Amino acid sequence: MNQLRLYLSRQADGIGRYIWEQFWQLLVGWVPTVVGIAVRAVLYRLILRMDGLAAIENNTRLRFASRIKLGKGSYLDQGVYIHACPNGVEIGEGTYVMHGSVLHVYNFRNLPNSGIWIGKNSLIGEMNVIRGQGGVHIGDRVYTSPLCQIIAVNHVFDDPARPFVEQGITAEGIWIEDDVWIGSGAVILDGVRVGKGAVVAAGAVVTRDVPPHVVVGGVPAKVIKEITPEAAKIAQATRTARVYQI
């Protein structure tokens, strides 16, 4: 019984909310195609907060749905898992969360700054993992490529005489400002701010702040290029591949 109580406490705000949220997900969560999207756009308002119309594909998993807020025109692809235990998950207007991504606040220690907030017209790529114990703040028009990880928590492991699981954690938070592009497989670690207009190269591991309008890459990530008007003119003049407008 204790294990059951623990499980339920990590799924919803009480047994009544758990039954209510699971009922609607069981009833209509599996319905495919645009029919299912339309049904969920109406009925999921009973379990989460939604501004205007948001599109939710079938086979998404929502926990603590009462603490999830979806902006107008936002989109959750198939296989998305959102676990929004306090302080919740907020996805802005026009933002897409693609197939298989996991947004997990994971706050079972009552950390004060936990949560995940994503701005407008952003894109969370396929199979991303975002952990929000320290709070993850993502701005507008931020694009993450497949297999990125944004992890706002870290274990303490300074004492060699004690297992790391007994030494606690740090959870300082992550801030990603507007117009940032994060390449495939990049990892953003706790306590980092990524400045406006920056680019994080594929496979980079970001362990410290990234200035605005630079490209960083490597392990650990370092500045490898500045994005300036002069550099843009040179790149445009020498570019051989055609650039397509999105």
Side-chain angles (χ1 to χ4, degrees), residues 67-148:
R67 299 176 184 266
I68 298 172
K69 182 178 180 181
L70 301 180
K72 179 181 178 182
S74 58
Y75 173 79
L76 304 182
D77 201 357
Q78 291 182 339
V80 167
Y81 176 36
I82 300 180
H83 193 298
C85 66
N87 295 320
V89 172
E90 183 171 338
I91 297 172
E93 178 180 338
T95 288
Y96 288 12
V97 182
M98 302 308 296
H99 173 75
S101 286
V102 176
L103 281 62
H104 201 324
V105 175
Y106 215 96
N107 184 18
F108 303 130
R109 304 172 187 247
N110 297 316
L111 299 172
N113 299 318
S114 66
I116 299 171
W117 297 269
I118 304 175
K120 299 179 180 179
N121 301 313
S122 291
L123 174 72
I124 305 301
E126 293 85 347
M127 304 293 180
N128 279 209
V129 176
I130 302 177
R131 291 275 294 270
Q133 286 100 316
V136 173
H137 304 260
I138 298 175
D140 299 339
R141 300 173 302 278
V142 173
Y143 278 36
T144 70
S145 303
L147 301 172
C148 293

Side-chain angles (χ1 to χ4, degrees), residues 21-42:
E21 293 172 8
Q22 292 300 308
F23 169 77
W24 289 109
Q25 292 182 68
L26 178 64
L27 185 66
V28 300
W30 61 274
V31 181
T33 72
V34 70
V35 175
I37 291 174
V39 169
R40 285 182 289 275
V42 175

Side-chain angles (χ1 to χ4, degrees), residues 46-234:
L46 298 171
I47 61 172
L48 54 76
R49 293 177 291 163
M50 193 183 301
D51 292 337
L53 292 177
I56 303 173
E57 294 279 7
N58 57 311
N59 298 323
T60 59
R61 294 175 59 197
L62 308 177
R63 300 295 183 265
F64 282 88
S66 61
R67 299 176 184 266
I68 298 172
K69 182 178 180 181
L70 301 180
K72 179 181 178 182
S74 58
Y75 173 79
L76 304 182
D77 201 357
Q78 291 182 339
V80 167
Y81 176 36
I82 300 180
H83 193 298
C85 66
N87 295 320
V89 172
E90 183 171 338
I91 297 172
E93 178 180 338
T95 288
Y96 288 12
V97 182
M98 302 308 296
H99 173 75
S101 286
V102 176
L103 281 62
H104 201 324
V105 175
Y106 215 96
N107 184 18
F108 303 130
R109 304 172 187 247
N110 297 316
L111 299 172
N113 299 318
S114 66
I116 299 171
W117 297 269
I118 304 175
K120 299 179 180 179
N121 301 313
S122 291
L123 174 72
I124 305 301
E126 293 85 347
M127 304 293 180
N128 279 209
V129 176
I130 302 177
R131 291 275 294 270
Q133 286 100 316
V136 173
H137 304 260
I138 298 175
D140 299 339
R141 300 173 302 278
V142 173
Y143 278 36
T144 70
S145 303
L147 301 172
C148 293
Q149 299 183 62
I150 302 171
I151 312 295
V153 65
N154 207 351
H155 284 279
V156 177
F157 51 88
D158 296 329
D159 187 349
R162 298 171 58 201
F164 77 90
V165 294
E166 297 178 358
Q167 297 185 51
I169 64 171
T170 61
E172 301 176 24
I174 294 172
W175 288 261
I176 300 175
E177 298 181 2
D178 298 344
D179 303 308
V180 169
W181 174 27
I182 302 175
S184 298
V187 180
I188 314 294
L189 296 181
D190 189 38
V192 163
R193 178 182 292 270
V194 181
K196 182 176 181 179
V199 175
V200 178
V205 178
V206 180
T207 60
R208 57 186 179 182
D209 290 355
V210 175
H213 302 292
V214 299
V215 180
V216 297
V219 182
K222 299 178 181 179
V223 174
I224 58 178
K225 180 181 177 181
E226 293 186 5
I227 303 171
T228 64
E230 292 76 15
K233 291 178 182 178
I234 295 171

Side-chain angles (χ1 to χ4, degrees), residues 8-9 11-18 21 64-67 84-86:
L8 293 176
S9 71
Q11 301 298 309
D13 287 318
I15 183 63
R17 282 297 311 187
Y18 175 79
E21 293 172 8
F64 282 88
S66 61
R67 299 176 184 266
C85 66

